[in-house]
Amino acid sequence: MNPSILIYLAICAGTSLADLVFAPYKSAEQYKCGSFMEDRNGRKADAVLSFYYSSIDQFITLISSPFPHQDLLNDKALTGDIDELQSSVEKKYWQWIEWQKGWIALSVGLVAFGVLFVIVYIFYKFCVCICSRSSKKQNTDARYDGCKRSMCNLFLFALVSANAFVAFTLLMTSQYAQIGLDKLPNRMNQCIDDLQSYKRDNDMKIRKLLIDDYQVLNSTIIRQLSTAGHNVVDRVKKLTGAHVIDVFMNVSKVAQEMHDGLESVHGKVRFLNEEGSRFEAEFSRLRNTANEELVKCLENELEPVRSMCAKAERLLESLAVTQFKIDQKFLPDATENGLSEIVNANITQVLAASNSQFEQLENRIQHEIDRETHSAQNMLKQIGDDLFLVAETISTQLRKVTFEGLYDTVSYVSDPKKTPTMKYIQYSWYVSLIVTSLFILLALVFLFGVLYGICGRRPTYYNDDCCVRSTGGKFYSFGIWAFLLIFVFLAVGTAVLTFSIGNFSNLVCQPLRNPLSHPESLSLAERYINIWKANHTPENEIEITLQSKSPAEVIRACARNETLYNLYDFDKKYHLNKLQDFEKDAYNQLQIFLKTTMENMPEIRPLDAFISRSELKDLEKLAAVNVSKVSQQGLNAIKHAMDELDLVSKTREFEESLDVNSGRPKAVTLVLEQIRELEVQFAKPLRSRLEALYTNITSLDDKLAQLQVPVSSLLVKLQHAQALLSENMKEHFGRAAKEEFQQMVNNIDQYITHVKNQMESEVTSCQPLTQIAKQTTAAICSYTIDPYNGTWMCMLICLVLLVPIVTISNSLIGLYSKMHAFPKYIVEPPSETHHMSSFITDTYDTRPKPGYANYTYTDNYQHNYR
């Protein structure tokens, strides 16, 4: 589409009021509850640990059973009555056992297995010890002993490696658990702070919605009433086509501005050319002065100084090409002549009489409207006062919601003066380090043993080397007896930790993560709420309202992203979702006042001919005016001059090419200093003025587009408007007044819709509460309980792995201690005078050596037993 047509349509659109724009609410503070989840330092183990924790969670689900609290505990027992709890355990112990059968089986089975394993192993060693006394011990390999040793080493290496990995995982998870437990009070306080922030945010949202946003509506309607005369006349002009007068007036105004601006541009160009000449003269003087020094440098200096001077000479040559000359002809002659024609046409004076008739109508209409606006303004004030009272009432109710009980609970638990909880946490840290150290010690002992067994040499007859398999057997012996000594204690500790943490995870964490999948937990929460209701008298109305919904209803509503305002039916009291019905009388009265104001207009008679034939002929001459855009070549010349005058970038490239270590000759330093001086005094001011000139010419180019209007079609519209306004003037003004009134009504309806949308989606939204709940659950479970789950699972896996490790290690001890079998026939034993080196660490060599010639072998000893 032709750009001139687009400009014309934009001008014809007028200055109609846009829809109301309500600024979005911006919270003054950020939520902090989940800040600990962001500080992960990119640990790669997190994904693996998450998978590990989720696997444990599935295992907990597998062996756990739903909590039958209604059958096991009455209301008194739920409140912590010791007698009721004792009575429940005594009378319903089979039901308790049935509920905890999975955890009891796991815990008791682990302890029982530990005790039985220790007893059986000690009994076995006792029997072996007795039997070994009656039989001669074989110190050499029997048949297939090498194969047994290799297979056992391979299998044991896999078990020991797995055990070592699990032991170090135990160290990591136990430390995570202790860190999570230590930081839990601070994290809980941050989550409670977020609840306070959520309450304050909703308070401010309500006040903004009902006070600030209503003030936007109020000021908009007042502004519409104050300019209603102009708006009505402007609408009449657009309905009839008389707005063409405004188009021609705008063309005349723009043409006059361009004419004045063009003269200013010509003056700036002349000044810049004069300054450019001064710059060229100064640069020529600089070049002549610098050339003498550079010639001396090239003749007298050696490399690499001479090359620097050559580069400086080339720099001056590159700067010398700068020729500053700007042409004043930015516009074609036809465009300048067209501007002169438009200015000389004196459109403003030609249409002054026509425009004055409409201005008189504006003043008359506005005068009548101003006489009637006080009723509408009073009604607007009354509605604003009602909304202010609603906002104050809601704010007062919100301020009554406090979280001091939560703060007090966290403070009580974390205060060492009030409860020993923090001391227990500190002691548990020491205990976890001791237990973890024991598991790591066992893992390292068996790891050293298996490495000696695989990599060590066979023990010699003289027992004069430590890097032998029998050393691995000693590690095994130590590890076995150390394990037997602490097995039962570790089993008991693992069982206690498994039973307590596993049940906590089942009863607390799993329901918190997915509450709707645990109806027994929701019913337990409802029972606690009912007990609290029975013992607590609501202090205010909002507490009564908040107690009307069950936890399941709140969770389902938040899953549907409902607002608490709709969930608890606050609209029955405040009626913000149906504001128009609640303030029905006030809004109807306001509409009546506005309608009366817009209808009570003065008598408007048809207009006489507001433009003569001679004036039309004068305007028709403008159709021949040809206006084109600014010369792009001239704009490019200015950009090129700005680039040429950028001496700083050119000298920077030159300085970067120099060798810093070689130093600078005096001639080069002199050139750079003079260029910098020239930059400050001439080049930089010239660039600034050129940039301002470029901006001015570009703005002129934009204004030229406003002069490209279809003159012929506009004159046709103007004649048609003159015919319409000379006949049925009242009809056109009545229609325009109705449109203006409807615009005011639309603004009121837009505010009502805005309030409804905000109350249904933003104010008291469940989304922040859902995030706080998830982050609180993460603080308790993901960052505290889950690491404890990982801890007891690692301990359990380590104990399970250590049983086969101990069994296989016991078998390998004997195999590691066996030496080479000696030859079947020894002609002469080793002479005591023949001293054997104490540094022999490998197996016997069957080759004859000096001093051992009397040894003879009658079998293939080297092949069979090497």
Side-chain angles (χ1 to χ4, degrees):
M1 183 181 288
N2 194 324
S4 62
I5 303 298
L6 293 176
I7 299 297
Y8 165 67
L9 292 175
I11 295 172
C12 293
T15 57
S16 59
L17 291 173
D19 291 338
L20 289 172
V21 177
F22 301 106
Y25 173 79
K26 295 182 179 179
S27 177
E29 51 189 342
Q30 298 294 327
Y31 291 156
K32 301 177 293 183
C33 183
S35 59
F36 63 91
M37 301 176 67
E38 300 173 0
D39 186 20
R40 302 298 293 168
N41 298 323
R43 288 194 296 265
K44 295 182 180 180
D46 285 349
V48 179
L49 282 177
S50 298
F51 175 75
Y52 175 53
Y53 295 152
S54 63
S55 301
I56 297 174
D57 196 59
Q58 294 177 2
F59 175 76
I60 292 173
T61 304
L62 183 64
I63 64 174
S64 300
S65 301
F67 182 29
H69 58 90
Q70 295 177 339
D71 298 331
L72 296 178
L73 300 173
N74 56 25
D75 290 347
K76 290 184 178 181
L78 286 178
T79 58
D81 191 318
I82 302 299
D83 295 333
E84 292 293 334
L85 287 172
Q86 184 178 357
S87 175
S88 174
V89 173
E90 292 175 353
K91 295 178 180 179
K92 302 176 181 179
Y93 62 92
W94 279 115
Q95 291 176 273
W96 284 96
I97 293 174
E98 178 65 23
W99 171 48
Q100 289 289 314
K101 60 183 178 182
W103 294 106
I104 292 175
L106 179 62
S107 303
V108 174
L110 178 61
V111 176
F113 176 76
V115 174
L116 290 175
F117 180 80
V118 172
I119 294 173
V120 170
Y121 187 85
I122 293 175
F123 179 74
Y124 164 76
K125 293 299 291 184
F126 179 73
C127 295
V128 169
C129 182
I130 293 176
C131 294
S132 62
R133 291 182 179 180
S134 59
S135 60
K136 185 177 180 180
K137 184 177 180 181
Q138 183 179 357
N139 292 325
T140 58
D141 281 345
R143 190 175 186 182
Y144 304 124
D145 277 356
C147 180
K148 292 178 184 178
R149 185 167 51 245
S150 299
M151 293 297 295
C152 290
N153 280 336
L154 181 62
F155 187 54
L156 186 60
F157 179 76
L159 291 176
V160 170
S161 299
N163 182 57
F165 175 78
V166 174
F168 283 100
T169 304
L170 170 62
L171 174 63
M172 182 168 55
T173 55
S174 63
Q175 294 309 299
Y176 282 170
Q178 292 296 327
I179 292 172
L181 192 61
D182 185 54
K183 294 184 177 181
L184 184 59
N186 182 51
R187 292 170 177 174
M188 296 303 296
N189 280 327
Q190 287 183 337
C191 293
I192 301 172
D193 290 341
D194 282 358
L195 291 176
Q196 293 279 21
S197 299
Y198 174 78
K199 184 185 74 172
R200 287 193 294 269
D201 280 349
N202 283 286
D203 185 10
M204 297 304 297
K205 286 179 181 178
I206 286 289
R207 299 183 68 84
K208 174 188 177 298
L209 185 63
L210 300 183
I211 300 176
D212 298 343
D213 290 353
Y214 181 77
Q215 288 302 317
V216 174
L217 171 66
N218 187 25
S219 61
T220 301
I221 293 180
I222 296 299
R223 186 169 59 253
Q224 283 182 282
L225 289 172
S226 64
T227 59
H230 170 76
N231 295 337
V232 170
V233 173
D234 193 57
R235 289 179 186 273
V236 171
K237 287 182 178 180
K238 292 176 182 177
L239 289 172
T240 60
H243 66 284
V244 172
I245 295 175
D246 297 332
V247 174
F248 280 116
M249 298 287 283
N250 181 69
V251 168
S252 177
K253 178 183 176 182
V254 172
Q256 186 63 48
E257 290 177 355
M258 284 199 62
H259 188 269
D260 297 339
L262 196 58
E263 291 182 356
S264 174
V265 166
H266 288 163
K268 290 180 179 179
V269 170
R270 287 193 296 270
F271 177 77
L272 284 171
N273 285 333
E274 293 175 0
E275 290 293 313
S277 300
R278 290 181 58 195
F279 170 74
E280 291 178 359
E282 288 294 327
F283 182 77
S284 178
R285 183 185 61 80
L286 163 66
R287 188 179 181 189
N288 293 334
T289 304
N291 277 338
E292 298 177 1
E293 297 293 333
L294 292 175
V295 169
K296 293 179 182 179
C297 175
L298 292 172
E299 292 177 353
N300 302 327
E301 300 292 343
L302 301 176
E303 294 294 340
V305 174
R306 181 183 296 176
S307 62
M308 293 185 187
C309 295
K311 289 181 180 180
E313 188 176 21
R314 288 193 295 271
L315 173 64
L316 288 176
E317 291 176 356
S318 65
L319 296 177
V321 301
T322 302
Q323 294 182 357
F324 196 95
K325 185 66 177 177
I326 301 175
D327 191 358
Q328 296 185 10
K329 300 293 290 184
F330 291 100
L331 293 178
D333 294 335
T335 300
E336 291 191 8
N337 294 333
L339 282 176
S340 299
E341 291 180 17
I342 295 174
V343 173
N344 295 332
N346 202 5
I347 298 174
T348 303
Q349 185 176 354
V350 170
L351 298 178
S354 304
N355 195 46
S356 65
Q357 296 186 53
F358 289 101
E359 289 179 351
Q360 291 175 6
L361 282 175
E362 283 184 20
N363 295 332
R364 289 175 58 195
I365 293 171
Q366 188 62 49
H367 178 70
E368 292 296 327
I369 291 174
D370 290 342
R371 292 171 57 185
E372 302 291 339
T373 55
H374 63 278
S375 299
Q377 291 175 351
N378 291 335
M379 191 53 62
L380 284 170
K381 183 177 182 302
Q382 179 182 336
I383 295 173
D385 292 340
D386 293 342
L387 293 178
F388 179 81
L389 289 176
V390 173
E392 283 295 319
T393 303
I394 296 176
S395 295
T396 302
Q397 296 296 326
L398 284 175
R399 292 188 188 103
K400 293 179 181 179
V401 178
T402 62
F403 304 99
E404 295 301 324
L406 298 177
Y407 281 119
D408 293 341
T409 301
V410 176
S411 176
Y412 177 80
V413 173
S414 58
D415 190 352
K417 296 180 180 178
K418 297 179 181 179
T419 178
T421 304
M422 299 307 295
K423 292 183 180 179
Y424 294 156
I425 292 175
Q426 186 176 5
Y427 296 153
S428 67
W429 190 302
Y430 300 145
V431 173
S432 68
L433 289 176
I434 294 172
V435 173
T436 303
S437 300
L438 292 175
F439 277 103
I440 293 177
L441 175 62
L442 292 174
L444 291 177
V445 166
F446 285 108
L447 182 62
F448 282 130
V450 75
L451 291 177
Y452 270 103
I454 294 174
C455 304
R457 301 182 182 92
R458 188 189 297 271
T460 65
Y461 178 79
Y462 295 93
N463 195 23
D464 55 358
D465 191 4
C466 65
C467 188
V468 291
R469 295 169 187 165
S470 58
T471 306
K474 294 177 182 178
F475 275 108
Y476 286 154
S477 298
F478 173 78
I480 290 171
W481 289 109
F483 173 69
L484 293 175
L485 182 64
I486 61 176
F487 187 17
V488 175
F489 301 100
L490 293 179
V492 171
T494 304
V496 171
L497 195 63
T498 301
F499 187 85
S500 57
I501 301 299
N503 272 291
F504 186 91
S505 182
N506 174 53
L507 293 175
V508 177
C509 290
Q510 290 183 347
L512 285 176
R513 285 169 173 155
N514 196 359
L516 296 179
S517 299
H518 295 78
E520 75 285 353
S521 298
L522 290 176
S523 62
L524 178 61
E526 290 182 12
R527 288 184 64 189
Y528 273 110
I529 292 175
N530 292 332
I531 293 172
W532 182 80
K533 289 180 183 179
N535 300 324
H536 178 75
T537 302
E539 297 179 357
N540 49 64
E541 184 178 350
I542 195 169
E543 284 192 13
I544 299 175
T545 305
L546 294 176
Q547 293 174 12
S548 62
K549 299 295 181 181
S550 66
E553 291 176 314
V554 175
I555 292 170
R556 291 190 180 95
C558 285
R560 296 190 299 267
N561 201 25
E562 291 188 19
T563 61
L564 299 183
Y565 180 84
N566 291 335
L567 171 62
Y568 287 100
D569 294 327
F570 285 111
D571 200 58
K572 292 181 179 179
K573 178 179 180 181
Y574 302 111
H575 309 284
L576 296 180
N577 286 339
K578 299 178 181 178
L579 196 58
Q580 189 171 7
D581 295 339
F582 177 62
E583 295 280 353
K584 186 175 182 180
D585 295 338
Y587 280 111
N588 289 340
Q589 195 70 28
L590 175 61
Q591 291 189 16
I592 291 172
F593 289 150
L594 292 175
K595 187 175 182 180
T596 303
T597 301
M598 298 306 300
E599 288 179 351
N600 291 340
M601 289 189 175
E603 184 179 354
I604 300 174
R605 292 176 296 178
L607 293 178
D608 297 331
F610 48 78
I611 187 167
S612 64
R613 290 185 178 274
S614 61
E615 293 172 344
L616 285 173
K617 289 182 179 180
D618 291 338
L619 293 176
E620 285 177 356
K621 296 178 182 179
L622 299 179
V625 174
N626 183 18
V627 179
S628 59
K629 286 185 170 290
V630 172
S631 172
Q632 189 63 38
Q633 183 178 1
L635 291 175
N636 292 336
I638 296 176
K639 291 290 288 183
H640 178 71
M642 291 169 61
D643 295 337
E644 287 290 321
L645 288 170
D646 191 5
L647 305 183
V648 175
S649 61
K650 295 180 179 180
T651 54
R652 184 185 301 115
E653 294 176 1
F654 168 73
E655 290 181 293
E656 291 175 353
S657 65
L658 298 179
D659 187 2
V660 180
N661 298 325
S662 301
R664 293 180 184 176
K666 180 180 179 181
V668 174
T669 303
L670 178 64
V671 169
L672 291 177
E673 289 178 352
Q674 292 185 352
I675 290 176
R676 292 191 189 99
E677 184 178 354
L678 196 65
E679 161 72 18
V680 174
Q681 293 183 1
F682 293 95
K684 186 175 181 180
L686 275 175
R687 286 202 309 272
S688 300
R689 294 189 179 99
L690 283 171
E691 187 175 358
L693 177 65
Y694 187 86
T695 303
N696 291 339
I697 296 175
T698 305
S699 65
L700 290 178
D701 195 33
D702 296 336
K703 289 180 179 180
L704 280 172
Q706 300 182 31
L707 302 179
Q708 300 173 357
V709 294
V711 176
S712 300
S713 61
L714 290 178
L715 292 176
V716 172
K717 286 180 177 290
L718 187 58
Q719 294 176 359
H720 180 68
Q722 185 168 265
L724 290 176
L725 293 175
S726 63
E727 295 178 358
N728 197 355
M729 189 77 163
K730 186 175 181 180
E731 179 184 348
H732 296 303
F733 273 87
R735 182 179 173 186
K738 287 182 180 179
E739 290 181 358
E740 186 67 18
F741 164 71
Q742 190 59 45
Q743 178 67 36
M744 297 180 189
V745 173
N746 291 341
N747 286 335
I748 296 173
D749 293 340
Q750 184 180 347
Y751 173 73
I752 293 173
T753 304
H754 170 65
V755 172
K756 181 180 179 180
N757 292 338
Q758 288 292 306
M759 298 308 299
E760 289 182 347
S761 60
E762 293 295 330
V763 181
T764 67
S765 171
C766 261
Q767 185 176 4
L769 290 178
T770 302
Q771 290 299 320
I772 293 172
K774 289 181 179 179
Q775 291 158 358
T776 304
T777 301
I780 296 173
C781 298
S782 301
Y783 286 78
T784 305
I785 299 303
D786 280 354
Y788 272 112
N789 283 330
T791 299
W792 64 254
M793 181 58 74
C794 285
M795 294 171 66
L796 182 62
I797 294 174
C798 281
L799 292 178
V800 171
L801 290 175
L802 283 170
V803 171
I805 289 174
V806 168
T807 306
I808 299 173
S809 300
N810 181 69
S811 302
L812 282 172
I813 291 175
L815 294 175
Y816 283 177
S817 62
K818 291 184 178 181
M819 299 180 293
H820 276 298
F822 286 103
K824 292 182 180 180
Y825 303 101
I826 300 177
V827 177
E828 183 178 346
S831 174
E832 294 181 1
T833 60
H834 297 157
H835 177 69
M836 181 176 286
S837 172
S838 61
F839 294 99
I840 296 176
T841 58
D842 209 342
T843 56
Y844 285 108
D845 192 348
T846 58
R847 293 175 299 175
K849 295 181 180 179
Y852 295 92
N854 293 329
Y855 281 105
T856 59
Y857 303 92
T858 60
D859 57 1
N860 194 5
Y861 165 77
Q862 181 178 3
H863 178 74
N864 291 336
Y865 301 106
R866 181 71 172 165

